[in-house]
Amino acid sequence: MLNVILCGAPGSGKGTQSDLLVEKYGLQHLSTGDVLRAEIKSGSELGKEIDGLISRGELVPDHKMIHLIENFLDQLPSDSKGVIFDGFPRTVEQAEALTMMLNRRGLKAVMLDLMVEEDEVIKRLLERGKTSGRKDDNYETIKQRLHVFHQVTKPVCTYYLKHHNYFLINGNHSIDLTFAQIDTILQLISK
Ligand code: C5P
Ligand code: MG
């Protein structure tokens, strides 16, 4: 199984690159942001709590996210080609929990760190905000999301770097050129 963690600032292209990975490698796409937004839509009590956090650009507590991922892994078909983790882990605690959850199942994951200039992600998110209908694609919340990313999520990259399963991708380029870098790495490591 080829398990890929896509890390990157909001607006760095994780969702876009995930779609291309699904198409080429037949991986399952787990977008935790999409899962949380679906929970909000369901109108549940948990959804209301999540709605508040997302609208403020804050993170859902670790134990809730870890529980969600554990459930997802439990339901993974045995013939799965692998998973793209898009938006998880967002904290070092989540990363440590993911390593343990994967280890218990005899699995591993590699991190691809999608680096994009800050001006560029803000531009992309504001553009997306015109049509996404997302409460968090506005300037104020984008700033908060970027703050959380640098403070809390960036150390997750260092965690994977230390564990020797980390690759840096220059995401400032076009969608195709960004995917070409990802594709080259995945071809090499899946040999
Ligand atoms: O990944 P995405 O940018 O779609 O996530 C949108 C929001 O969902 C985040 O800003 C955060 O509020 C919430 N989220 C979270 N924990 C995750 C993934 C997303 O709290 N692991
Ligand atoms: Mg996304």
Side-chain angles (χ1 to χ4, degrees), residues 9 20 22 29 33 44 50 56 58 60 74 108 112 120 123-124 126 149 152 162 168 173 179 191:
L20 296 172
V22 169
H29 180 199
S44 68
I50 293 169
R56 294 193 296 277
E58 290 167 15
V60 174
D74 281 342
K108 278 188 177 162
L112 304 177
E120 174 67 16
K123 200 173 92 191
R124 288 184 194 174
L126 288 174
F149 174 72
V152 186
K162 277 190 193 150
L168 183 60
H173 296 299
F179 185 68
K191 262 187 191 157

Side-chain angles (χ1 to χ4, degrees), residues 114-127:
L114 218 47
M115 293 267 259
V116 180
E117 291 287 330
E118 185 128 328
D119 289 354
E120 174 67 16
V121 294
I122 294 173
K123 200 173 92 191
R124 288 184 194 174
L125 290 170
L126 288 174
E127 192 56 36

